Amino acid sequence: MKKPNVIFLIQDQMQQRIIKEESGCIMPNLHELMKDGVVFEEARTCNAVCSPSRASLLTATLPHVHGMVDCTHTVPPYRADFDDSLDTVTQAFCDDGYQVSYYGKWHIERTHRLEKFGIHTYETEMDIPGFPVTVYDKVTLSNPGYPEKMLCGIFKEDATHTEEHYIYEKAMAEIEQTCQKGAPFCTFISTYAPHDPYCVPEEIYRLYDNCAPDLPVSFYDEMNDKPVIYRRMRNALRGLSEEDYRKAIRCYYSYCTLVDIQFGKLIKYLKDNQLYDNTMIICLSDHGDLLGAHGLMMKSVESFEEVYRIPLVLKLPGQQFAGSSYDFYINTYEIGPTVLELAGCRSLKGNQTGNSMVPWMMGEKTDRHFAFSEFFGQRYSFTQRIYWEDDMKYVFNAFAEDELYDLRNDPHELRNLGDDPAYQEQKIKLCSGMWEQVKRTSDISLADAEYFILQIAPVGPGEREQSSEYSVYNKKF
């Protein structure tokens, strides 16, 4: 049987709701791909920032396992050190005879030697040329003592003068060469877009002249029932007017449209060359963007769905299951095992990898599964774990009050139910589910945090993972 070709389309910071037609974001090519594929409505990232989530996609493990718990450029290696001895999705495809290539943003580990992971040809941010543009309209933010930062901008050059155009052209050229050799290909195309600063061509920005997006429902949320750090981070944006937010959101939409134009070129190429029907396409984002939700932008420790709920579309060979959607939870670290099984490749080695969700896709399992995410706080080191089950979401904040949301009745997370007496039983149930995942994946430092004043969760993890004996540093009595 002929092996299916595989293409991963990875966006940086694309919010899940953007892919819905009702969002107003102009993405006709993705919408057509969704009709030919399946949509995972409840996909969640395992981390809110780039490097941890991308490393989890590569290794199918959680950040505390692969070690890249923060972004490569933000902390020294001792605070985020990738374990390159782990098996990877790319190596599995390589071992099965695929020509593996990677074009675009890597941001997974620090060596940028992708051949270590079974990738034959690549061009990452270390090698991609710059594309200077003439920005004539922009929104900037400046706080006392901090450098001025551009949030969004519009430039005069057209879409062909962008990194997104460049890497898609390079990837299609690589696919062409691989096909001439008769080998199956596994190609990763990873765009910087729509990551901030949202800087876009005027020709695309103008597409929204008569359909500019509005502010989100939760924009005016005062967040008085949420961790104070959320309000402090919103305060850092106090220099932005409502008009600035609106322009930034419109630029973000335009940036997504720029990516969608590249989708269209790729899909046309595949169809013109009779490759489309035998190609599996996985379209996803590493994480989302707050995009004005709760008056916030970008992403950080704020645990809201705009960041953690990610787009995930899978087109199978022969358009199997076309037009289907699934409402079970699937995590970043479960995408790789799922794709490998669907492609007929070997599974990943190691006992900390995520589940293949194929049994759920085939209807062999009918529960909604669960989702679990870790956050380690970026430069400021906020410890956080998030657990989803059914339509409830629990956030363990080691630095502030916990959060609990009923996503069915409160999809915009306007009301934190963490202290509501009517929800304490559910809170404890979800907290116990969180501890189960912490222990299952041997997150020892958190699971064994039993020192007196560290007992701050609504319920503890139960039996210790390590020896039941006291440490030699604690005197026995």
Side-chain angles (χ1 to χ4, degrees):
M1 181 179 295
K2 189 176 182 181
K3 295 176 182 177
N5 301 306
V6 180
I7 301 177
F8 284 84
L9 305 177
I10 306 172
Q11 285 63 245
D12 196 331
Q13 210 160 296
M14 183 177 282
Q15 194 185 88
Q16 191 267 356
R17 71 177 180 86
I18 284 293
I19 73 172
K20 302 293 186 180
E21 290 195 53
E22 59 266 27
S23 74
C25 189
I26 302 170
M27 301 189 76
N29 297 301
L30 179 57
H31 296 154
E32 287 301 311
L33 185 67
M34 290 165 67
K35 292 175 184 176
D36 281 347
V38 299
V39 179
F40 295 87
E41 299 285 357
E42 300 296 342
R44 296 297 190 280
T45 184
C46 63
N47 193 278
V49 293
C50 303
S51 297
S53 57
R54 288 166 177 268
S56 289
L57 177 66
L58 186 73
T59 63
T61 64
L62 283 163
H64 81 267
V65 177
H66 60 61
M68 190 53 68
V69 297
D70 208 331
C71 286
T72 58
H73 67 288
T74 61
V75 293
Y78 78 89
R79 286 188 57 190
D81 188 17
F82 183 73
D83 182 358
D84 60 12
S85 70
L86 292 171
D87 197 8
T88 62
V89 172
T90 48
Q91 187 63 58
F93 276 112
C94 174
D95 292 347
D96 209 46
Y98 280 78
Q99 176 73 17
V100 185
S101 60
Y102 195 107
Y103 292 94
K105 183 173 181 179
W106 175 243
H107 209 199
I108 290 176
E109 49 84 60
R110 294 180 173 87
T111 69
H112 283 264
R113 291 174 51 209
L114 278 61
E115 61 272 14
K116 297 194 305 180
F117 310 107
I119 299 173
H120 302 98
T121 57
Y122 56 89
E123 189 169 345
T124 71
E125 59 266 33
M126 300 300 286
D127 308 298
I128 294 170
F131 294 89
V133 292
T134 311
V135 179
Y136 71 91
D137 188 3
K138 61 184 177 180
V139 173
T140 59
L141 181 68
S142 180
N143 285 311
Y146 291 95
E148 184 177 85
K149 302 282 286 185
M150 181 171 70
L151 176 60
C152 66
I154 308 163
F155 57 81
K156 296 183 180 295
E157 290 78 7
D158 66 20
T160 64
H161 201 78
T162 63
E163 180 177 304
E164 287 68 34
H165 171 82
Y166 175 83
I167 63 172
Y168 268 77
E169 291 293 320
K170 294 285 286 190
M172 286 186 286
E174 170 64 25
I175 290 171
E176 180 74 23
Q177 291 183 13
T178 302
C179 289
Q180 290 175 1
K181 299 174 184 175
F185 59 82
C186 175
T187 302
F188 289 73
I189 312 176
S190 174
T191 63
Y192 181 88
H195 191 289
D196 58 280
Y198 323 122
C199 207
V200 296
E202 179 185 30
E203 63 178 6
I204 298 179
Y205 185 79
R206 292 302 171 201
L207 296 175
Y208 291 90
D209 279 350
N210 299 314
C211 56
D214 205 351
L215 298 172
V217 171
S218 64
F219 180 77
Y220 298 103
D221 179 16
E222 295 182 354
M223 296 197 292
N224 290 328
D225 60 349
K226 298 173 178 69
V228 66
I229 189 61
Y230 295 6
R231 301 194 292 278
R232 291 180 69 183
M233 289 184 169
R234 182 180 59 192
N235 189 54
L237 305 175
R238 62 190 179 278
L240 299 177
S241 66
E242 283 193 23
E243 186 56 36
D244 290 334
Y245 277 98
R246 292 178 191 277
K247 180 171 286 187
I249 295 170
R250 179 173 169 178
C251 284
Y252 180 93
Y253 272 50
S254 302
Y255 219 176
C256 292
T257 300
L258 171 64
V259 175
D260 188 73
I261 291 170
Q262 313 312 313
F263 291 164
K265 289 192 313 182
L266 174 67
I267 291 169
K268 183 179 185 303
Y269 168 81
L270 295 172
K271 289 182 176 179
D272 288 349
N273 290 274
Q274 291 75 51
L275 295 169
Y276 185 75
D277 286 345
N278 193 44
T279 298
M280 187 186 309
I281 302 175
I282 308 95
C283 182
L284 72 148
S285 182
D286 53 1
H287 53 76
D289 190 304
L290 287 156
L291 205 61
H294 310 275
L296 295 157
M297 294 294 292
M298 290 78 76
K299 78 285 177 188
S300 185
V301 66
E302 302 94 345
S303 63
F304 299 120
E305 292 294 274
E306 287 80 6
V307 172
Y308 278 91
R309 192 177 183 184
I310 57 171
L312 178 58
V313 178
L314 171 62
K315 188 205 81 71
L316 290 161
Q319 290 68 269
Q320 187 180 12
F321 304 133
S324 300
S325 64
Y326 298 117
D327 68 350
F328 54 77
Y329 289 106
I330 178 172
N331 276 89
T332 307
Y333 56 95
E334 293 168 327
I335 295 172
T338 302
V339 171
L340 287 170
E341 182 173 349
L342 290 169
C345 294
R346 69 168 176 83
S347 58
L348 295 180
K349 302 167 187 173
N351 58 7
Q352 298 296 335
T353 56
N355 297 293
S356 165
M357 298 304 291
V358 171
W360 281 265
M361 292 178 65
M362 299 301 179
E364 297 166 10
K365 293 190 177 183
T366 57
D367 63 281
R368 289 191 62 196
H369 195 41
F370 62 87
F372 176 69
S373 298
E374 306 177 332
F375 192 64
F376 298 86
Q378 298 178 276
R379 289 177 168 92
Y380 291 156
S381 299
F382 304 107
T383 296
Q384 191 177 59
R385 299 292 185 272
I386 309 174
Y387 183 80
W388 293 260
E389 189 175 298
D390 297 324
D391 293 307
M392 298 298 295
K393 170 183 176 180
Y394 169 67
V395 185
F396 172 66
N397 293 317
F399 53 87
E401 62 268 42
D402 290 348
E403 298 165 78
L404 182 70
Y405 298 105
D406 180 346
L407 297 178
R408 173 176 294 178
N409 297 308
D410 180 24
H412 303 290
E413 297 170 287
L414 295 172
R415 184 185 174 201
N416 178 10
L417 302 169
D419 291 331
D420 189 324
Y423 285 86
Q424 293 313 294
E425 185 175 337
Q426 284 176 286
K427 181 179 176 180
I428 290 173
K429 177 177 180 290
L430 291 168
C431 182
S432 297
M434 175 200 78
W435 285 124
E436 183 178 340
Q437 299 313 310
V438 166
K439 294 196 293 185
R440 182 185 69 83
T441 60
S442 300
D443 188 0
I444 302 300
S445 63
L446 197 63
D448 288 351
E450 63 173 23
Y451 195 62
F452 306 101
I453 58 174
L454 298 180
Q455 298 179 14
I456 59 175
V459 64
E463 186 178 351
R464 285 172 57 93
E465 286 291 289
Q466 292 184 332
S467 169
S468 60
E469 293 295 317
Y470 277 99
S471 163
V472 295
Y473 297 103
N474 291 320
K475 189 174 181 180
K476 299 176 184 178
F477 289 99

